[in-house]
Amino acid sequence: MTAATLEAPTERLLLDETALKAASHSLDDGVLTPSYGPWRDDIVKLLNDALATELVCVLRYKRHYFTADGVQSPAIAEEFLVHANEESAHADKIAERIVQLGGEPDFNPASLQGRSHAQYDDSKDLQAMVRANLIAERIAIEAYRQMIVLIGDKDPTTRRMLEGILAQEEEHADELKDWLGH
């Protein structure tokens, strides 16, 4: 080891005491401490759009579950139901986080499709259903990746939640890819 590697860092890791004191005020804000700064409204908007996407995905998967037909349809339809339930759980997590951030989750059916990143699908052919769901999962993956980058360290709790959802969306896409062509 050289003397250079033993030198003390020029920058110290210290908490912002002013921010700590400010956190003891405005108790009605719940989790929203001053460090959330100007990003809360943008994060709530991103989350509401993700909520719309998840809800549209639930509806698409449910429709495909109930209408899938063909030799391989029972196994694939059962997976559609599993995916629908997992997408519903994602929607619940997102809605809960929106409320924690002091926002209001937007479940308005009239605007769901317009706010969703993914599309609804009413295909009748099993392979078309799988393809539509794979497209939607890939869109969700891209949207979550972008949101994770945008949020970065501005809201670590939301970022971690989105990373968990992203991991499941990637699993869904991998399964759907395997069913194409069967």
Side-chain angles (χ1 to χ4, degrees):
M1 293 184 117
T2 66
T5 59
L6 297 176
E7 289 179 22
T10 57
E11 191 177 303
R12 303 293 306 186
L13 297 177
L14 301 172
L15 295 178
D16 180 346
E17 293 296 326
T18 306
L20 292 175
K21 287 180 181 145
S24 67
H25 304 293
S26 303
L27 299 181
D28 289 341
D29 290 343
V31 302
L32 294 177
T33 62
S35 66
Y36 277 87
W39 307 112
R40 187 203 66 100
D41 290 343
D42 291 342
I43 292 170
V44 167
K45 164 91 172 74
L46 289 170
L47 291 176
N48 262 317
D49 291 350
L51 175 62
T53 302
E54 294 293 347
L55 294 171
V56 167
C57 288
V58 169
L59 296 172
R60 187 188 57 256
Y61 273 123
K62 285 279 194 162
R63 184 188 190 287
H64 291 170
Y65 166 72
F66 284 108
T67 61
D69 192 29
V71 174
Q72 294 179 321
S73 68
I76 293 176
E78 204 55 45
E79 270 310 303
F80 287 162
L81 181 59
V82 169
H83 288 202
N85 292 334
E86 290 173 349
E87 303 295 353
S88 182
H90 297 166
D92 290 349
K93 286 179 187 177
I94 292 168
E96 181 180 10
R97 185 63 184 153
I98 290 168
V99 171
Q100 286 175 340
L101 292 172
E104 292 188 23
D106 188 348
F107 285 91
N108 185 343
S111 65
L112 279 182
Q113 186 62 53
R115 292 181 294 115
S116 174
H117 302 296
Q119 300 299 309
Y120 181 77
D121 177 76
D122 58 3
S123 297
K124 292 178 178 43
D125 173 74
L126 188 60
Q127 283 299 300
M129 291 176 186
V130 171
R131 182 174 170 73
N133 286 313
L134 179 55
I135 289 168
E137 293 293 354
R138 289 174 51 85
I139 289 169
I141 288 166
E142 181 60 26
Y144 284 124
R145 284 185 179 283
Q146 289 184 30
M147 289 189 320
I148 289 164
V149 170
L150 286 170
I151 291 171
D153 63 356
K154 296 170 189 74
D155 181 355
T157 302
T158 297
R159 185 191 68 238
R160 282 191 308 276
M161 177 195 70
L162 294 174
E163 289 169 345
I165 292 172
L166 172 62
Q168 271 200 315
E169 302 295 10
E170 288 175 343
E171 288 174 20
H172 293 172
D174 196 43
E175 290 170 354
L176 290 162
K177 177 192 65 74
D178 289 345
W179 297 334
L180 279 178
H182 285 121

